[in-house]
Amino acid sequence: MRELFAACAEAHPNIALIKYWGNRDHRLNLPANNSISFNLEGLLTRTLVVFDSQLNRDRLIINGRERFRDPLKRVQRILAWVREDSGIYWNAHVISVNNFPEGVGIASSASAFAALALAASKAAGLHLDERNLSRLARIGSGSAARSVPDGFVEWRSGTGDHDSYAFTLFPPEYWDLWDCVAVVSTEPKPLGSQEGHLLAETSPIQWARVTDAPRRLDWCRKALKERDFESLAEVVELDSHLLHAVMQTSSPPMFYWEPTSVALMHQVRRWRKQGWNVCYTLDAGPNVHVICTSEVVQRLEHELQNFPGVLQVLTARVGKGARPLPLETCQDLLRQGGLSLSGVSRRGT
Ligand code: DP6
């Protein structure tokens, strides 16, 4: 008899205020330094995992299209861990959708692996606490560890696999911050974060960035605690500059900025001089994340939409962490996998 064990979950991507770049252990994604981020509420990945006793290989469908090779291999690292822990060795359907467009340079791997870790572990009957869920998500993508807990989050580098996980510093409502992402290019990246982490050590600046990280982390925690935007702005921009200094001085160098990215950085600093609570940060791509407080967000969105070279603006406030969903709300995903609610054992609700 065919048996199906299913669970569904959703999670948001996050934006790092203090960045993760470079690993102490590349296999386990143990980072060179702690990092701090907040979850982006408006943006969402929803993932269904169904362990199927009669399936002859793992299947991965993202945004309606079946994926093979690298994306499938990364997903199988999580599935392998879940199989080992649960004793359920069946193959799985993994079906995932994002509510934000692919190829706009918003990394979906953080939300994807956070949602996958939750859905896969629940489908296999495991009940991982937040800390172990964050550790599991970390195996798929480092920054995914930070999409598991709510709100403003710190990922502690730890001493090994057992204590490298993320936790909430402050809940989402602690401070009404927003991220307006100015999308400036939809070209695929020349080098992704996975290669970037490997190259970080080739930069002579990485050592200085990592050595100074505890000071920036303290500074950032204090600015968040005191809701001091001016202070937060300074440390967030400094940390972003350090990240890009490392990228630009790696061998081979990684240069992600476009002319519009640089023009926007100047403009954001001008707005701040005029008294707006705004600052910028850039990840491994040319898009500019403009962080702001709630009274500025509408004006900022309008200005960014009209800024020459900006293709699109995505706006998100501080969001919750990964959470399970009733299977009834994931029927569209079941259909995409050629499955239906009848015959499925719910493990996730
Ligand atoms: C520059 O290895 O987590 O965004 O390629 O999406 O798996 P993926 O990214 P990951 O590295 C993220 C690096 C960063 C900085 C950060 O988010 O801390």
Side-chain angles (χ1 to χ4, degrees), residues 36 152 170 174-175 220-227 232:
I36 294 179
F152 297 89
F170 301 100
Y174 184 77
W175 194 3
C220 183
R221 284 184 212 108
K222 185 164 184 280
L224 290 173
K225 186 162 183 247
E226 294 172 358
R227 299 187 187 89
L232 184 74

Side-chain angles (χ1 to χ4, degrees), residues 16 19-21 74 107 109 141-143 146 193-194 197 283-284:
K19 308 290 188 187
Y20 152 51
W21 198 246
R74 277 177 87 177
S109 57
S141 156
S143 56
R146 297 190 311 241
S193 305
Q194 298 298 302
H197 293 300
D283 283 338

Side-chain angles (χ1 to χ4, degrees), residues 255-269:
F255 203 89
Y256 288 112
W257 297 346
E258 293 291 334
T260 306
S261 324
V262 178
L264 272 171
M265 290 190 248
H266 286 297
Q267 184 58 53
V268 169
R269 289 177 80 92

Side-chain angles (χ1 to χ4, degrees), residues 316-345:
R317 72 185 333 165
V318 185
K320 285 193 180 304
R323 55 208 173 262
L325 290 172
L327 273 184
E328 284 68 19
T329 59
C330 298
Q331 297 209 47
D332 51 330
L333 297 181
L334 280 165
R335 265 193 300 277
Q336 281 189 32
L339 302 159
S340 70
L341 265 184
S342 60
V344 168
S345 304

Side-chain angles (χ1 to χ4, degrees), residues 106-281:
I106 308 299
S108 56
S109 57
S111 48
F113 284 103
L116 174 66
L118 182 54
S121 56
K122 284 220 176 275
L126 298 174
H127 297 285
L128 301 183
D129 58 14
E130 183 184 278
R131 171 179 174 163
N132 283 312
L133 206 54
S134 173
R135 285 175 55 214
L136 178 57
R138 191 200 75 223
I139 306 282
S141 156
S143 56
R146 297 190 311 241
S147 281
V148 171
D150 286 347
F152 297 89
V153 169
E154 177 162 353
W155 170 19
R156 174 198 311 221
S157 68
T159 56
D161 172 51
H162 64 289
D163 62 352
S164 183
Y165 59 89
F167 54 92
T168 296
L169 286 174
F170 301 100
E173 58 286 356
Y174 184 77
W175 194 3
D176 196 11
L177 292 186
W178 291 73
D179 181 7
C180 293
V181 193
V183 177
V184 309
S185 167
T186 52
E187 295 288 308
K189 293 189 224 174
L191 273 180
S193 305
Q194 298 298 302
E195 293 94 337
H197 293 300
L198 289 167
L199 292 180
E201 286 147 45
T202 66
S203 163
I205 292 172
Q206 171 71 348
W207 180 84
R209 192 191 75 84
V210 171
T211 306
D212 183 60
R215 182 183 72 99
R216 298 192 307 284
L217 288 155
D218 278 346
W219 181 353
C220 183
R221 284 184 212 108
K222 185 164 184 280
L224 290 173
K225 186 162 183 247
E226 294 172 358
R227 299 187 187 89
D228 180 344
F229 194 89
E230 191 58 42
S231 177
L232 184 74
E234 276 176 44
V235 71
V236 164
E237 291 182 0
L238 167 63
D239 195 84
S240 174
H241 297 159
L242 281 167
L243 169 74
H244 286 267
V246 169
M247 291 165 163
Q248 290 165 15
T249 52
S250 294
S251 331
M254 284 165 283
F255 203 89
Y256 288 112
W257 297 346
E258 293 291 334
T260 306
S261 324
V262 178
L264 272 171
M265 290 190 248
H266 286 297
Q267 184 58 53
V268 169
R269 289 177 80 92
R270 276 196 291 272
W271 284 328
R272 194 153 78 252
K273 273 211 179 99
Q274 291 165 18
W276 296 28
N277 278 337
V278 287
C279 67
Y280 57 77
T281 184

